[in-house]
Structures are given as structure tokens and as C-alpha cells.
Amino acid sequence: HFDRFFFGISTPEGILTPNEWFQQHTHWLLDLVTGFFYLAFVGIFMAMGFHYRFTLPRLLRNRPEAPNAEWIRSRAHAMFWEFFWVNMLGYSTYYWYPAAPPWYVSLYGLGPANLSALPNAAGCLRFDQLLGTHFFTGMYGRSADVFGAIPSLHVAYPLLSVLFAFELRSLRAFSVFFYLIMCFSAVYLNHHYILDLLWGSSYALLVCFVLDQLGKRKTSAA
């Protein structure tokens, strides 16, 4: 209802949520690109973190105007701690606020929760069908939580990477693309509503703000 009210798309069939509209306007190239990023999002985030921790200090060591290498390493260290706390906050939310993903609503509607519903790869199945793989089928077949749509951690991690990319002045363009493509993918693949993306993004901003404030207090006290 939130998505329909704020982001609804008018069609001859009535007002559709963005994810409902996209299910009627799929394209194989979008299936391929969104499926890849949806599958590799944790690996991409980790690769960026390792770049900041190990590669970036070496690349900048001969530039006198560059930030201190030790400071860069400490910020990369902070990036992984923020990743940890976003996970703690996100996964705990799945249990105190269970919420169904869009594919569940498409299959079972908005009535009482169907606790026997099985996990579903939704639009990600199109990626597997294109490549003849079973990545998403296997992954979602082993999923333990159907009602875990809020928050979307698929967009929380990329937003963390954006914040650190601009602070460390490296991979800024890629990080913004990473965040935007993940936002699009989550909706296009019928796994999240826009509300879920806003909630996940808010968690990333909240964790970053709180830990940064704690770090400043610790530095001041020292």
C-alpha cells in the first residue's frame, strides 16, 4: 500500500506498484545484469573493502598530498565493523518485524500469513534460465526466512560503500552505480518494495552516523 500510494504507476489495469509493473516489462539483458549484481553484492562490497584496506594505501604512498595510509586502513577497518552492525540490526529486524516480499504477495495475496510458504527466487529465476544455472534456485531453496523483506540489506551494503568511497575518494562513481543498480535490481527482480530499500538505506546511514560519533568521542577522550 505504501508503494502503491507514493510510487504507484497508472495502467489500464489500475495502479501498480513499481515491482508489479516491472514484471510486465522484463528484458533478458536486464535479467542478466540485475541477476549478476544481486548474486555478487556481498562479494563486490568485500572487494571494495579490501581495496581500501590493502590496495589504496599502496597506490597513494608516493603522493605527498594523499591522506595518511594508516588513516585509510583505519577507515577500511571501520567499514567492516559497520557492515557487521548493519547485519546485526537487519537480521534482528527480520524477527521482530517479519514482512513479506513482493513475490509472496503475488502468490498468496495480503491475507493472513501463509507460514507454510516456501522460499522463492522470483525474478532471479530468469537469470538462472538464461545461463542454465541453479545459483538462485539453490540459494533460495535453502533460505530459512520467507518473511525477511524489511530491511533490504541488498541496498544497505552498497550505500555503506558509497559513504566510504566519498570519504576515501576512491571508487566513487562505481559505488554510486553499485547502489543504484542494486536499488533497481531489488525491485525489478520482485524481491523488495521501495519501502524496503528506504528502510535498508536508513539502517546504513544510522549505523554509519552512530559509529562515527562513537569514534569521535573515543578520539576526544584519548
Short mmCIF file of all heavy atoms in Angstrom, two decimals, residues 48 62 104 142 168 177 181:
data_model
loop_
_atom_site.label_atom_id
_atom_site.label_comp_id
_atom_site.label_asym_id
_atom_site.label_seq_id
_atom_site.Cartn_x
_atom_site.Cartn_y
_atom_site.Cartn_z
N MET A 48 35.59 -4.14 -2.42
CA MET A 48 35.84 -2.71 -2.21
C MET A 48 36.52 -2.47 -0.87
O MET A 48 37.44 -1.68 -0.76
CB MET A 48 34.51 -1.94 -2.28
CG MET A 48 33.89 -1.93 -3.67
SD MET A 48 32.33 -1.01 -3.73
CE MET A 48 32.94 0.67 -3.51
N ASN A 62 53.24 7.27 -2.52
CA ASN A 62 54.22 8.20 -3.09
C ASN A 62 53.64 9.57 -3.42
O ASN A 62 54.28 10.37 -4.10
CB ASN A 62 54.85 7.59 -4.35
CG ASN A 62 55.65 6.34 -4.03
OD1 ASN A 62 56.31 6.28 -2.99
ND2 ASN A 62 55.58 5.36 -4.92
N TYR A 104 5.84 -12.91 -2.66
CA TYR A 104 4.89 -13.60 -1.79
C TYR A 104 3.49 -13.03 -1.98
O TYR A 104 2.51 -13.77 -2.06
CB TYR A 104 5.33 -13.46 -0.33
CG TYR A 104 4.32 -13.99 0.67
CD1 TYR A 104 4.39 -15.28 1.15
CD2 TYR A 104 3.26 -13.19 1.10
CE1 TYR A 104 3.45 -15.77 2.05
CE2 TYR A 104 2.32 -13.66 1.99
CZ TYR A 104 2.41 -14.95 2.46
OH TYR A 104 1.47 -15.43 3.33
N ARG A 142 17.41 -22.98 0.10
CA ARG A 142 17.94 -23.21 1.45
C ARG A 142 17.63 -22.05 2.40
O ARG A 142 18.07 -22.04 3.54
CB ARG A 142 19.46 -23.41 1.39
CG ARG A 142 19.88 -24.68 0.66
CD ARG A 142 21.36 -24.95 0.84
NE ARG A 142 22.17 -23.90 0.24
CZ ARG A 142 22.58 -23.92 -1.03
NH1 ARG A 142 22.25 -24.94 -1.83
NH2 ARG A 142 23.33 -22.94 -1.51
N LEU A 168 36.96 8.33 1.29
CA LEU A 168 38.32 7.92 0.92
C LEU A 168 38.70 8.36 -0.49
O LEU A 168 39.83 8.11 -0.92
CB LEU A 168 38.46 6.40 1.05
CG LEU A 168 38.24 5.86 2.47
CD1 LEU A 168 38.26 4.33 2.46
CD2 LEU A 168 39.31 6.39 3.41
N PHE A 177 27.03 3.80 -8.77
CA PHE A 177 26.41 2.87 -9.72
C PHE A 177 25.98 1.59 -9.00
O PHE A 177 24.87 1.09 -9.23
CB PHE A 177 27.39 2.53 -10.85
CG PHE A 177 26.95 1.37 -11.70
CD1 PHE A 177 25.93 1.52 -12.64
CD2 PHE A 177 27.53 0.12 -11.55
CE1 PHE A 177 25.50 0.44 -13.40
CE2 PHE A 177 27.11 -0.96 -12.32
CZ PHE A 177 26.10 -0.79 -13.25
N ILE A 181 22.15 0.41 -9.04
CA ILE A 181 21.78 -0.83 -9.73
C ILE A 181 21.19 -1.83 -8.76
O ILE A 181 20.29 -2.60 -9.10
CB ILE A 181 22.99 -1.45 -10.49
CG1 ILE A 181 22.51 -2.54 -11.48
CG2 ILE A 181 24.02 -2.04 -9.54
CD1 ILE A 181 21.67 -2.05 -12.60
#
